[in-house]
Amino acid sequence: MMADLRSNFIGIKSPNPFWLASAPPADREINVVRAFKAGWGGVVWKTLGLDPHIVNVNGPRYGAIYGGDRRIAGFTNIELITDRPLEINLREIKTVKRDWPDRAVVVSLMVPCEEEAWSEILPLVEETGADGIELNFGCPHGMSERGMGSAVGQVPEYIEMVTRWCKKLTSMPVIVKLTPNITDIRYPARAAKAGGADAVSLINTITSIIGVDLESMAPEPVNDGEGTHGGFCGPAVKPIALHMVTEIARDSETQGLPISGIGGITQWRDAVEFMALGASNVQVCTAAMTYGFKIVEELIEGMKSWMDDNGHESFDTFIGAAVPKVINWQYLNLNYVAKARIDQDLCIKCGRCHIACEDTSHQAITATLNGERYYEVQDDECVGCNLCVCVCPVENCITLVQMTEGTDPRTGKQIDPEYANWTTHPNNPLASEG
């Protein structure tokens, strides 16, 4: 049995589910062709507009937050939509789609919130033979100040209105790209569905200031002594993106709405996680900008190997598989008990678990000196919080082990099964109110 990575997202076919997101890597023909030669299944062309006077800064456009080994953990940009002439972009899109008919070519669009503007640009894009359009309702800087991008994406009524216009004005599939700069992602998703969207994609970048240059006392990236807020992306935003994808996938009003997952996807495991939480394909940007287009080879081979090893012939067997297990906190099982265990053979005696637990948690890890340091978990104090696992520098040195259910880790007493659920637990201040 061999895993089949061919993708059919809202009728848009591609040889694999990995698309380049709308961003600098998808700005022109030469980039996109290089990407397709490397193996990318599709591309969302960098956002087009009607304004011929888009001017980007000629100084720094990007900034980064680094983790260990100077690996990029978070990335910010202050770049606007394409500043290349519309006619050149359209000509290149047509050429690329003609030369690469098996790849997905979707065009990102952003124009003023007026029906006339959409009626002007949509026929031009449709004439290129592109597979679909993505409405950019997410960009949080530069364009939002002009009443576009996230300024539209933060108003569900506008999302529904523009989506309806586009569904009326074009036969191409319409994907609505959602902004994360909103309190509850379900409302814009519901609006997109109400407007007839074929799918949603998320997340776009998060409004942010990535840091301050302490020499110039200006936000980074600094341009001529000043800076501005930008769009934050990269591995650091993945947890936020997974949460928002899940909320749409499990919302009764948007269940079944196809999702293209975006946000910090760097390795095959990230892509599988997005798909397990409801996405049907994924879009990648920061990883390509960091490591180059050939990273798609690792994404493809990693996903294929995982699918083969786990008996998945197609995506259908695991898309959304984790969604039913995402529940609200009050439904968690309070009878479940786990305790930390330290593998003494793997322990390097650094003491980080002891210090973290002693200073900031439950004083459940003792430290003794018998010729060398020795750390041990005290079950009567351990509440299974997982902090020691998180801070331990040695993988699998500390693990949580499930104990007999029914014992309160704080008191050692049996928990009445009637109160295992927080909705009826006596300590819940709302329990008496039903």
Side-chain angles (χ1 to χ4, degrees):
M1 179 184 68
M2 294 290 291
D4 184 359
L5 264 63
R6 288 177 298 176
S7 172
N8 186 340
F9 182 71
I10 60 171
I12 302 174
K13 296 180 180 179
S14 56
N16 61 66
F18 299 107
W19 293 3
L20 281 177
S22 169
D27 185 37
R28 59 191 66 207
E29 179 181 356
I30 187 172
N31 294 48
V32 173
V33 169
R34 284 175 63 87
F36 285 168
K37 286 180 178 179
W40 290 89
V43 62
V44 182
W45 205 276
K46 184 173 168 65
T47 307
L48 311 184
L50 291 170
D51 186 350
H53 305 297
I54 297 294
V55 179
N56 273 293
V57 296
N58 290 310
R61 300 180 185 183
Y62 309 125
I65 290 177
Y66 300 100
D69 301 325
R70 199 173 160 80
R71 296 193 178 207
I72 289 179
F75 199 69
T76 194
N77 85 91
I78 59 170
E79 187 164 304
L80 303 181
I81 66 174
T82 185
D83 52 11
R84 304 172 69 230
L86 177 62
E87 60 272 17
I88 292 178
N89 274 296
L90 293 171
R91 183 170 67 244
E92 291 183 358
I93 292 167
K94 187 172 185 177
T95 299
V96 169
K97 186 58 193 177
R98 181 199 66 202
D99 294 345
W100 297 85
D102 68 322
R103 308 302 171 94
V105 179
V106 174
V107 179
S108 176
L109 297 175
M110 184 192 295
V111 298
C113 210
E114 302 165 356
E115 187 172 0
E116 293 75 14
W118 291 99
S119 66
E120 180 179 348
I121 199 168
L122 285 171
L124 301 177
V125 175
E126 192 157 1
E127 197 274 332
T128 67
D131 296 296
I133 57 170
E134 183 180 78
L135 311 186
N136 185 343
F137 293 154
C139 186
H141 57 274
M143 304 309 294
S144 58
E145 291 90 330
R146 310 180 195 196
M148 292 178 276
S150 63
V152 178
Q154 291 167 339
V155 185
E157 292 81 4
Y158 290 172
I159 293 174
E160 181 176 349
M161 176 179 69
V162 176
T163 304
R164 285 189 188 279
W165 291 342
C166 292
K167 288 299 295 180
K168 178 179 70 174
L169 294 168
T170 183
S171 60
M172 294 181 290
V174 175
I175 303 168
V176 175
K177 191 172 188 178
L178 302 178
T179 177
N181 303 298
I182 194 163
T183 305
D184 192 332
I185 196 66
R186 294 175 299 176
Y187 294 105
R190 291 171 183 173
K193 185 175 182 180
D198 296 282
V200 292
S201 59
L202 68 156
I203 60 173
N204 208 312
T205 53
I206 301 171
T207 304
S208 59
I209 290 179
I210 202 165
V212 175
D213 180 275
L214 298 182
E215 295 293 324
S216 61
M217 283 298 173
E220 297 177 333
V222 181
N223 272 269
D224 195 23
E226 297 176 318
T228 185
H229 65 273
F232 189 60
C233 57
V237 311
K238 176 187 158 189
I240 299 169
L242 288 176
H243 161 69
M244 292 188 170
V245 165
T246 304
E247 286 300 281
I248 295 172
R250 74 189 191 105
D251 179 27
S252 61
E253 296 188 36
T254 52
Q255 279 181 348
L257 180 64
I259 300 170
S260 182
I262 313 169
I265 296 164
T266 307
Q267 51 186 320
W268 67 265
R269 180 180 294 274
D270 301 325
V272 172
E273 289 175 9
F274 269 88
M275 297 173 82
L277 288 172
S280 299
N281 81 347
V282 294
Q283 298 182 34
V284 179
C285 173
T286 305
M289 294 180 73
T290 304
Y291 303 109
F293 287 148
K294 283 186 176 291
I295 192 175
V296 74
E297 296 175 2
E298 298 178 22
L299 297 174
I300 291 170
E301 290 307 313
M303 177 175 280
K304 186 180 297 182
S305 295
W306 178 83
M307 289 175 65
D308 285 340
D309 292 345
N310 290 274
H312 297 291
E313 294 187 51
S314 71
F315 308 129
D316 295 338
T317 55
F318 66 88
I319 287 178
V323 175
K325 295 183 180 180
V326 180
I327 60 176
N328 292 340
W329 193 97
Q330 65 263 34
Y331 300 118
L332 293 173
N333 178 14
L334 297 190
N335 267 343
Y336 180 83
V337 176
K339 305 286 185 182
R341 289 289 180 268
I342 301 174
D343 186 330
Q344 298 299 335
D345 292 331
L346 293 176
C347 180
I348 61 174
K349 319 302 181 187
C350 67
R352 289 179 62 182
C353 62
H354 166 67
I355 292 300
C357 188
E358 192 74 13
D359 286 356
T360 67
S361 196
H362 293 84
Q363 298 77 52
I365 299 178
T366 60
T368 57
L369 288 172
N370 293 323
E372 65 175 9
R373 288 182 287 183
Y374 183 84
Y375 302 98
E376 188 173 22
V377 177
Q378 303 302 304
D379 280 357
D380 57 342
E381 298 296 338
C382 179
V383 299
C385 71
N386 210 44
L387 176 61
C388 56
V389 177
C390 294
V391 302
C392 180
V394 180
E395 188 174 7
N396 297 322
C397 177
I398 307 179
T399 54
L400 285 187
V401 178
Q402 181 179 353
M403 311 298 284
T404 303
E405 291 194 9
T407 302
D408 189 324
R410 295 158 294 185
T411 66
K413 297 179 180 179
Q414 288 292 112
I415 299 175
D416 188 330
E418 180 182 352
Y419 298 133
N421 191 300
W422 181 245
T423 55
T424 58
H425 198 283
N427 291 342
N428 181 354
L430 301 179
S432 61
E433 302 175 13

